[in-house]
Amino acid sequence: GIEIYTEDGGKNSNRLQIGSDMFHTQFDDAYIVALKTLHEIAKEVSVTGNDNVVHEAKTGRMEFSDGTFANFVNGRLIGGRTAQGGDF
Protein backbone atom coordinates (compact mmCIF):
# COMPACT_ATOMS: atom_id res chain seq x y z
CA GLY A 1 0.00 0.00 0.00
CA ILE A 2 0.82 3.68 -0.02
CA GLU A 3 1.13 5.86 3.08
CA ILE A 4 1.59 9.63 2.91
CA TYR A 5 2.15 11.69 6.05
CA THR A 6 2.61 15.40 6.65
CA GLU A 7 6.15 16.78 6.75
CA ASP A 8 6.39 16.14 10.50
CA GLY A 9 7.05 12.46 9.77
CA GLY A 10 3.63 11.28 10.85
CA LYS A 11 3.83 12.64 14.40
CA ASN A 12 0.32 14.06 14.12
CA SER A 13 -2.76 12.43 12.69
CA ASN A 14 -2.67 13.96 9.19
CA ARG A 15 -2.25 11.11 6.73
CA LEU A 16 -3.41 9.39 3.58
CA GLN A 17 -3.27 5.60 3.31
CA ILE A 18 -4.25 3.52 0.30
CA GLY A 19 -4.20 -0.28 0.32
CA SER A 20 -5.66 -3.04 -1.79
CA ASP A 21 -8.79 -3.13 0.38
CA MET A 22 -8.89 0.29 2.06
CA PHE A 23 -8.64 4.04 1.63
CA HIS A 24 -8.03 6.22 4.69
CA THR A 25 -7.65 9.96 4.89
CA GLN A 26 -7.41 11.99 8.07
CA PHE A 27 -6.75 15.72 8.00
CA ASP A 28 -8.08 18.83 9.69
CA ASP A 29 -10.07 19.34 6.48
CA ALA A 30 -10.39 16.50 3.95
CA TYR A 31 -11.52 16.76 0.37
CA ILE A 32 -12.06 13.99 -2.16
CA VAL A 33 -12.07 15.20 -5.75
CA ALA A 34 -13.15 13.02 -8.65
CA LEU A 35 -12.67 14.29 -12.18
CA LYS A 36 -15.66 12.37 -13.51
CA THR A 37 -17.38 9.92 -11.15
CA LEU A 38 -17.04 9.14 -7.46
CA HIS A 39 -18.51 5.84 -6.28
CA GLU A 40 -19.22 5.32 -2.60
CA ILE A 41 -19.90 1.74 -1.57
CA ALA A 42 -20.70 1.07 2.07
CA LYS A 43 -23.23 -0.93 4.03
CA GLU A 44 -23.30 1.83 6.66
CA VAL A 45 -22.08 5.42 6.83
CA SER A 46 -21.61 7.38 10.03
CA VAL A 47 -20.67 10.96 10.77
CA THR A 48 -19.21 12.38 13.95
CA GLY A 49 -20.70 15.80 14.54
CA ASN A 50 -19.39 18.80 16.46
CA ASP A 51 -21.02 17.21 19.51
CA ASN A 52 -18.54 14.26 19.22
CA VAL A 53 -21.51 11.92 18.85
CA VAL A 54 -21.48 9.37 16.03
CA HIS A 55 -24.64 9.66 13.92
CA GLU A 56 -25.62 6.89 11.49
CA ALA A 57 -26.59 8.13 8.06
CA LYS A 58 -30.17 7.29 7.16
CA THR A 59 -31.64 5.34 4.27
CA GLY A 60 -35.26 5.87 3.31
CA ARG A 61 -37.79 8.27 1.90
CA MET A 62 -38.67 11.75 3.11
CA GLU A 63 -42.24 12.64 2.15
CA PHE A 64 -43.97 16.01 2.28
CA SER A 65 -47.67 16.78 2.60
CA ASP A 66 -47.83 18.09 -1.00
CA GLY A 67 -46.69 14.72 -2.41
CA THR A 68 -43.06 15.69 -2.92
CA PHE A 69 -40.62 12.99 -1.85
CA ALA A 70 -36.86 12.46 -1.72
CA ASN A 71 -35.05 9.13 -1.53
CA PHE A 72 -31.83 8.72 0.46
CA VAL A 73 -29.22 5.97 0.72
CA ASN A 74 -26.67 6.28 3.52
CA GLY A 75 -27.53 9.94 3.92
CA ARG A 76 -27.03 10.76 0.23
CA LEU A 77 -29.90 12.12 -1.82
CA ILE A 78 -30.37 9.76 -4.78
CA GLY A 79 -33.56 11.14 -6.32
CA GLY A 80 -37.20 11.94 -5.83
CA ARG A 81 -40.25 13.60 -7.30
CA THR A 82 -41.82 17.03 -6.94
CA ALA A 83 -45.51 17.58 -6.29
CA GLN A 84 -45.81 18.66 -9.94
CA GLY A 85 -44.47 15.25 -11.08
CA GLY A 86 -40.95 16.27 -12.00
CA ASP A 87 -38.21 13.79 -11.16
CA PHE A 88 -34.91 14.85 -9.65
Side-chain angles (χ1 to χ4, degrees), residues 1-5 15-25:
I2 298 171
E3 294 186 25
I4 301 171
Y5 292 92
R15 66 180 181 272
L16 173 66
Q17 296 173 292
I18 303 170
S20 62
D21 61 350
M22 63 81 117
F23 173 85
H24 177 97
T25 181

mmCIF file of all heavy atoms in Angstrom, residues 1-5 15-25:
data_model
loop_
_atom_site.group_PDB
_atom_site.id
_atom_site.type_symbol
_atom_site.label_atom_id
_atom_site.label_comp_id
_atom_site.label_asym_id
_atom_site.label_seq_id
_atom_site.Cartn_x
_atom_site.Cartn_y
_atom_site.Cartn_z
ATOM 1 N N GLY A 1 0.806 -1.185 0.000
ATOM 2 C CA GLY A 1 0.000 0.000 0.000
ATOM 3 C C GLY A 1 0.851 1.251 0.000
ATOM 4 O O GLY A 1 2.076 1.197 0.007
ATOM 5 N N ILE A 2 0.179 2.371 -0.005
ATOM 6 C CA ILE A 2 0.824 3.685 -0.022
ATOM 7 C C ILE A 2 0.429 4.413 1.252
ATOM 8 O O ILE A 2 -0.733 4.408 1.643
ATOM 9 C CB ILE A 2 0.371 4.503 -1.239
ATOM 10 C CG1 ILE A 2 0.768 3.798 -2.536
ATOM 11 C CG2 ILE A 2 0.941 5.912 -1.187
ATOM 12 C CD1 ILE A 2 0.164 4.439 -3.769
ATOM 13 N N GLU A 3 1.410 5.036 1.911
ATOM 14 C CA GLU A 3 1.131 5.862 3.082
ATOM 15 C C GLU A 3 1.812 7.203 2.890
ATOM 16 O O GLU A 3 2.996 7.262 2.598
ATOM 17 C CB GLU A 3 1.643 5.195 4.355
ATOM 18 C CG GLU A 3 0.919 3.910 4.684
ATOM 19 C CD GLU A 3 1.341 3.330 6.019
ATOM 20 O OE1 GLU A 3 1.804 4.094 6.880
ATOM 21 O OE2 GLU A 3 1.218 2.107 6.176
ATOM 22 N N ILE A 4 1.059 8.276 3.036
ATOM 23 C CA ILE A 4 1.593 9.625 2.906
ATOM 24 C C ILE A 4 1.280 10.366 4.196
ATOM 25 O O ILE A 4 0.126 10.408 4.623
ATOM 26 C CB ILE A 4 0.974 10.359 1.705
ATOM 27 C CG1 ILE A 4 1.247 9.581 0.417
ATOM 28 C CG2 ILE A 4 1.508 11.787 1.620
ATOM 29 C CD1 ILE A 4 0.493 10.108 -0.785
ATOM 30 N N TYR A 5 2.309 10.942 4.807
ATOM 31 C CA TYR A 5 2.148 11.686 6.048
ATOM 32 C C TYR A 5 2.566 13.126 5.824
ATOM 33 O O TYR A 5 3.264 13.440 4.866
ATOM 34 C CB TYR A 5 3.021 11.080 7.160
ATOM 35 C CG TYR A 5 2.573 9.712 7.588
ATOM 36 C CD1 TYR A 5 3.095 8.572 7.002
ATOM 37 C CD2 TYR A 5 1.629 9.560 8.587
ATOM 38 C CE1 TYR A 5 2.682 7.311 7.391
ATOM 39 C CE2 TYR A 5 1.210 8.303 8.984
ATOM 40 C CZ TYR A 5 1.739 7.185 8.382
ATOM 41 O OH TYR A 5 1.322 5.942 8.772
ATOM 42 N N ARG A 15 -2.828 12.161 7.553
ATOM 43 C CA ARG A 15 -2.246 11.115 6.726
ATOM 44 C C ARG A 15 -3.219 10.682 5.630
ATOM 45 O O ARG A 15 -4.411 10.919 5.698
ATOM 46 C CB ARG A 15 -1.859 9.912 7.562
ATOM 47 C CG ARG A 15 -3.034 9.180 8.179
ATOM 48 C CD ARG A 15 -2.542 7.987 9.007
ATOM 49 N NE ARG A 15 -3.607 7.243 9.607
ATOM 50 C CZ ARG A 15 -4.154 7.485 10.783
ATOM 51 N NH1 ARG A 15 -3.712 8.497 11.509
ATOM 52 N NH2 ARG A 15 -5.112 6.746 11.257
ATOM 53 N N LEU A 16 -2.662 10.016 4.646
ATOM 54 C CA LEU A 16 -3.410 9.385 3.580
ATOM 55 C C LEU A 16 -2.842 7.988 3.415
ATOM 56 O O LEU A 16 -1.629 7.820 3.263
ATOM 57 C CB LEU A 16 -3.259 10.172 2.271
ATOM 58 C CG LEU A 16 -3.844 9.543 1.017
ATOM 59 C CD1 LEU A 16 -5.367 9.468 1.113
ATOM 60 C CD2 LEU A 16 -3.431 10.338 -0.202
ATOM 61 N N GLN A 17 -3.693 6.985 3.479
ATOM 62 C CA GLN A 17 -3.265 5.601 3.312
ATOM 63 C C GLN A 17 -4.144 4.937 2.272
ATOM 64 O O GLN A 17 -5.368 5.076 2.305
ATOM 65 C CB GLN A 17 -3.391 4.823 4.623
ATOM 66 C CG GLN A 17 -2.478 5.339 5.715
ATOM 67 C CD GLN A 17 -2.763 4.646 7.037
ATOM 68 O OE1 GLN A 17 -3.824 4.864 7.604
ATOM 69 N NE2 GLN A 17 -1.836 3.849 7.502
ATOM 70 N N ILE A 18 -3.521 4.238 1.336
ATOM 71 C CA ILE A 18 -4.247 3.521 0.297
ATOM 72 C C ILE A 18 -3.698 2.099 0.257
ATOM 73 O O ILE A 18 -2.494 1.890 0.131
ATOM 74 C CB ILE A 18 -4.069 4.184 -1.082
ATOM 75 C CG1 ILE A 18 -4.525 5.642 -1.021
ATOM 76 C CG2 ILE A 18 -4.827 3.407 -2.149
ATOM 77 C CD1 ILE A 18 -4.179 6.446 -2.245
ATOM 78 N N GLY A 19 -4.576 1.121 0.403
ATOM 79 C CA GLY A 19 -4.196 -0.278 0.325
ATOM 80 C C GLY A 19 -5.099 -1.001 -0.646
ATOM 81 O O GLY A 19 -6.029 -0.417 -1.221
ATOM 82 N N SER A 20 -4.866 -2.277 -0.822
ATOM 83 C CA SER A 20 -5.660 -3.039 -1.787
ATOM 84 C C SER A 20 -7.119 -3.133 -1.374
ATOM 85 O O SER A 20 -8.002 -3.306 -2.216
ATOM 86 C CB SER A 20 -5.076 -4.438 -1.959
ATOM 87 O OG SER A 20 -5.117 -5.133 -0.723
ATOM 88 N N ASP A 21 -7.412 -2.995 -0.076
ATOM 89 C CA ASP A 21 -8.793 -3.126 0.382
ATOM 90 C C ASP A 21 -9.227 -1.970 1.270
ATOM 91 O O ASP A 21 -10.197 -2.079 2.005
ATOM 92 C CB ASP A 21 -8.994 -4.448 1.116
ATOM 93 C CG ASP A 21 -8.118 -4.561 2.360
ATOM 94 O OD1 ASP A 21 -7.231 -3.716 2.555
ATOM 95 O OD2 ASP A 21 -8.347 -5.492 3.142
ATOM 96 N N MET A 22 -8.503 -0.838 1.220
ATOM 97 C CA MET A 22 -8.891 0.289 2.060
ATOM 98 C C MET A 22 -8.357 1.603 1.517
ATOM 99 O O MET A 22 -7.421 1.639 0.751
ATOM 100 C CB MET A 22 -8.399 0.097 3.497
ATOM 101 C CG MET A 22 -6.884 0.031 3.644
ATOM 102 S SD MET A 22 -6.092 1.630 3.665
ATOM 103 C CE MET A 22 -5.387 1.674 5.233
ATOM 104 N N PHE A 23 -9.047 2.678 1.911
ATOM 105 C CA PHE A 23 -8.636 4.045 1.634
ATOM 106 C C PHE A 23 -8.889 4.816 2.907
ATOM 107 O O PHE A 23 -9.991 4.778 3.440
ATOM 108 C CB PHE A 23 -9.471 4.631 0.487
ATOM 109 C CG PHE A 23 -9.220 6.092 0.246
ATOM 110 C CD1 PHE A 23 -8.166 6.491 -0.550
ATOM 111 C CD2 PHE A 23 -10.037 7.054 0.801
ATOM 112 C CE1 PHE A 23 -7.927 7.837 -0.775
ATOM 113 C CE2 PHE A 23 -9.809 8.396 0.582
ATOM 114 C CZ PHE A 23 -8.758 8.788 -0.211
ATOM 115 N N HIS A 24 -7.879 5.484 3.434
ATOM 116 C CA HIS A 24 -8.029 6.216 4.694
ATOM 117 C C HIS A 24 -7.420 7.594 4.522
ATOM 118 O O HIS A 24 -6.301 7.732 4.068
ATOM 119 C CB HIS A 24 -7.310 5.480 5.825
ATOM 120 C CG HIS A 24 -7.363 6.212 7.132
ATOM 121 N ND1 HIS A 24 -8.286 5.930 8.096
ATOM 122 C CD2 HIS A 24 -6.618 7.233 7.618
ATOM 123 C CE1 HIS A 24 -8.099 6.736 9.131
ATOM 124 N NE2 HIS A 24 -7.095 7.534 8.848
ATOM 125 N N THR A 25 -8.185 8.605 4.877
ATOM 126 C CA THR A 25 -7.652 9.964 4.893
ATOM 127 C C THR A 25 -8.043 10.605 6.214
ATOM 128 O O THR A 25 -9.154 10.407 6.698
ATOM 129 C CB THR A 25 -8.156 10.801 3.697
ATOM 130 O OG1 THR A 25 -7.586 12.101 3.767
ATOM 131 C CG2 THR A 25 -9.652 10.932 3.693
#
